[in-house]
Amino acid sequence: MALPVAEWQGRTARLWAALEPALRERLAAASLQDAVRLGCDVLRSKEEEEAALEQLCHQAPMDKKPEAASWYREQGNREFKRGRYQAALRLYSRVCLEDIARAESHGYPDRLLPKVLLRKAECLLCLGRLQDAQDVLRVLESKIALDGAMTTHLTRLKKLSQLKVKLGEKERCPEPAQGEHGGTQGEPEIWEENSSISGASSSLSLSFDAERGRHLVASQDIMAGQSLVKEEAFVSVLCPGESLALQDGDTAWDTRATNADLYCHRCLRQLLASVPCQGCSYAQYCSQDCADRAWQQYHRTECPLGALLLTLGVFCHVALRTVLLAGYAEVSRLVEGSHCGDKNLQNPEGSCRPLSEADAGAGSRGVPGCDSSGRYQSSYQALFHLLPHTEQHSPEHKFLCTLSVVALCKQLQVAGLEAAVLSQESPQQCSKPKTCEKTSEELSPELKTVAEAMLRHMLQLQCNAQAITVMQEMGPGDGAVVDKKPVRLATAFFPVLSLLNHSCCPNTSVSFSGTSVTVRAAQPISSGQEVLHCYGPHWCRMRVAERQQLLRQYFFECRCPACLQELQSGVKSVVSIRNSFCCPKCQAQMQGEEDTLCCSIEACATSASRDHLSGRLQDLQQEIKKALELLRVRKADQAIKKLLKCQMDAGTFLSPEHLLMGEMEDHLAQVYATVGKWQEAARHLRKSIEIVEMHHGPSSVETGHELFKLAQILFNGFAVSEALSTIQRAEGILSVHFGPQSAQMQELQEMKACLSELPRNILQRT
Ligand SMILES: [Zn+2]
Ligand SMILES: [Zn+2]
Ligand SMILES: [Zn+2]
Ligand SMILES: [Zn+2]
């Protein structure tokens, strides 16, 4: 996904192995500039490689729309059956608008167009896009006037006037936009921007030392929940292709709705009605404005290369978009500047140094990436100075990146897109690309500069790529209890966020809204302490060995307190203790690192093979999946039966604190909630919360989400006083991680308001 497709990786690996040893050595030691030059030579002599790449492009899944349309229709049907008409209508509208857009662009028979346009206006009206609806109605009116009444049925004219009346009504008393109302509730956040680091709080300062590189330190005492960084991504690219498991169970994968169908390709907002790109079937936007801006800033160059970009992977795509956003003038200025300082860049970098470190030897010149006034901005300059670790990547990987970037730049040249890359010409001027015939032509010096910058960005991404995640609704979601899980949505560069070093037990929490990130203190941080965030391997989720393995891609060894403790004292990680097996006879913990596990109670002396227990665990997971499938098709009674059986079975070989034990309780709570058995649901969820607290800590996001669910259940079950106290606990945790203005906080506020307005006779029932 991040890297090119496997076939292209395989081809470049074979090509690498077949190169002359001398050339391999030169490539391995080459600067970025030389790597591009050598890469051009290699690719020029291997035309079959380019042909193969072109072949691979034909496999790229560019056309997903028919599947998406049927998916939306299906989802609409589900909502309709549940009586959620508003939601159903929105989903139907999504399909309908897509069909209409296609009808318009494919020369729909003229006499049928009024019907299609009426439908479109209706959809837009329902979605609250009044201006767009009005525009469509105007087009329709002029069309009818032009054709004369002969071709237009009276029913259509009636429909038109009905729609106009509705539009007028909506304009007079607009409904609040969904999800955006009440944004002023809650306490305003304290936010004072740092005078020398854009997007950072004034309570931080930028430090630099050889061991940690650039890093952020608290310059005063910080409270839990305080915002520390608010930054807009310099660049972001939607990750395509990953099917979202919107419901549990295998069938979710058949619907094939992916990020690319559900989110705006520019601002990452969820799509209600999409504005598709005129030039390709892939890019979709939330509005005409996003479509226009994306076109202007980068998509006019990317659009003709869609399949190639999907084939070469997201990192390559991010690298291209980065240089397009930066503009050629800035790219060439910094690339040329780096050649003068190449001696510095060539210095061997330490092997155990954390991410975000500065260029070697730059300490005396101040912190790299800062502008002339010493200010660190979320800019291309700062991004350019993120370390590419040129020396530390494997030569094969560098070769893969080099060939990919060179192939992409050659394609830019062949497709006549060079002018668009090098200048800010208006889209009209370059709408007629002049294609040049010979594919073996040498890259222009300007495109070589672009390729060099892109290669740098591809290498930087290995350490500095930031995944943008969203909370995606999971489970059957019948509206009463909403279960949400984080899903990877896009890959981005955040130059300021990249200043934070990693810890497996971080003191911050990161959340996203569209393409912007907010970092909050997850706990009090005292003045002088480093501000840290977790790149992924968290101590609650993985053992130290797994974490260190994952962190290898960042070219450093983690020395956070969690790692030191687990490594040095041989303390078993919480993960292994809590997720252990128990003795089938006496329920005590099973021990041993080998193939055979023994009961920890000596007198019991029961032993079991690890493989056998792992097999049972897998079977159990399969059964749980089946139970969730039953829930999905609304066979609640059978789902409950199955889950209770799973629980019994699990009790005979899993530790009572095993994460899966908690998950089963959570699932049971979900099922009981769907049939309105609120007390049962609450009972199971409380058990789940106990286990989640044990694994992730009482003030963790995970615990916060569970409390949020419990609040919903208690709310629905009119358990007023417990609901209010649970809401309060959830607020305390979620405001720290997501801030007082977040959607979750708003929902909690609304529940609270609703409970306080309940009439007395209902309150007395509880
Ligand atoms: Zn958008
Ligand atoms: Zn396009
Ligand atoms: Zn660590
Ligand atoms: Zn035992």
Side-chain angles (χ1 to χ4, degrees), residues 502-505 537 539 544 547-548 551 556-564:
H502 165 85
S503 167
C504 305
C505 44
W539 71 288
V544 64
R547 298 202 302 265
Q548 298 274 344
L551 289 168
F556 76 98
E557 272 172 58
C558 188
R559 298 256 178 266
C560 76
C563 283
L564 287 181

Side-chain angles (χ1 to χ4, degrees), residues 195-487:
S195 57
S196 54
I197 318 162
S198 73
S201 149
S202 58
S203 54
L204 302 180
S205 65
L206 180 57
S207 296
F208 174 75
D209 63 44
E211 191 200 342
R212 290 182 246 196
R214 294 181 296 195
H215 57 283
L216 292 175
V217 171
S219 56
Q220 60 190 64
D221 290 344
I222 291 167
M223 291 181 305
Q226 205 177 312
S227 298
L228 301 177
V229 174
K230 291 180 181 182
E231 186 183 18
E232 187 64 30
F234 182 86
V235 57
S236 63
V237 170
L238 190 79
C239 302
E242 264 176 295
S243 294
L244 297 171
L246 284 169
Q247 321 101 34
D248 289 302
D250 291 332
T251 50
W253 297 94
D254 299 333
T255 55
R256 302 269 177 89
T258 65
N259 286 339
D261 306 310
L262 300 173
Y263 296 91
C264 175
H265 286 221
R266 181 177 169 270
C267 72
L268 304 180
R269 245 173 271 174
Q270 198 153 9
L271 289 172
L272 285 175
S274 67
V275 177
C277 170
Q278 299 289 315
C280 66
S281 61
Y282 181 65
Q284 296 174 57
Y285 304 95
C286 67
S287 62
Q288 194 58 48
D289 184 50
C290 263
D292 292 344
R293 284 204 219 185
W295 183 261
Q296 194 58 41
Q297 290 174 330
Y298 48 80
H299 193 65
R300 63 186 154 119
T301 309
E302 295 176 0
C303 189
L305 301 175
L308 181 60
L309 290 170
L310 283 176
T311 306
L312 292 178
V314 172
F315 279 9
C316 211
H317 197 165
V318 174
L320 174 64
R321 193 173 287 181
T322 302
V323 299
L324 293 174
L325 285 167
Y328 180 71
E330 188 69 352
V331 170
S332 68
R333 179 179 79 83
L334 285 159
V335 167
E336 264 147 42
S338 74
H339 295 163
C340 309
D342 243 9
K343 285 199 184 77
N344 280 329
L345 290 169
Q346 298 274 315
N347 275 355
E349 293 150 9
S351 57
C352 318
R353 297 205 309 189
L355 168 66
S356 312
E357 62 190 326
D359 298 335
S364 54
R365 284 187 280 127
V367 181
C370 292
D371 61 20
S372 50
S373 62
R375 201 173 138 80
Y376 188 89
Q377 306 258 24
S378 180
S379 63
Y380 184 64
Q381 168 153 333
L383 191 160
F384 192 87
H385 283 91
L386 298 172
L387 269 200
H389 289 282
T390 314
E391 318 292 314
Q392 279 153 297
H393 293 276
S394 75
E396 290 91 337
H397 179 71
K398 254 165 60 179
F399 186 64
L400 168 68
C401 294
T402 307
L403 283 199
S404 303
V405 160
V406 168
L408 184 54
C409 286
K410 286 191 86 169
Q411 197 50 45
L412 284 170
Q413 187 164 303
V414 170
L417 294 162
E418 186 175 358
V421 177
L422 301 185
S423 70
Q424 293 295 325
E425 274 184 77
S426 70
Q428 286 81 11
Q429 275 171 290
C430 47
S431 60
K432 273 188 191 164
K434 39 181 197 301
T435 43
C436 69
E437 292 299 309
K438 282 173 274 172
T439 53
S440 57
E441 206 173 299
E442 175 81 34
L443 273 189
S444 71
E446 290 81 10
L447 276 180
K448 275 190 184 157
T449 301
V450 168
E452 185 184 334
M454 281 172 58
L455 178 55
R456 167 182 285 263
H457 301 324
M458 260 194 105
L459 297 178
Q460 286 170 327
L461 278 164
Q462 183 163 326
C463 289
N464 292 286
Q466 177 63 52
I468 293 181
T469 55
V470 281
M471 295 302 288
Q472 182 91 48
E473 265 184 47
M474 312 298 270
D478 63 349
V481 181
V482 181
D483 193 8
K484 291 179 172 183
K485 291 212 166 65
V487 172

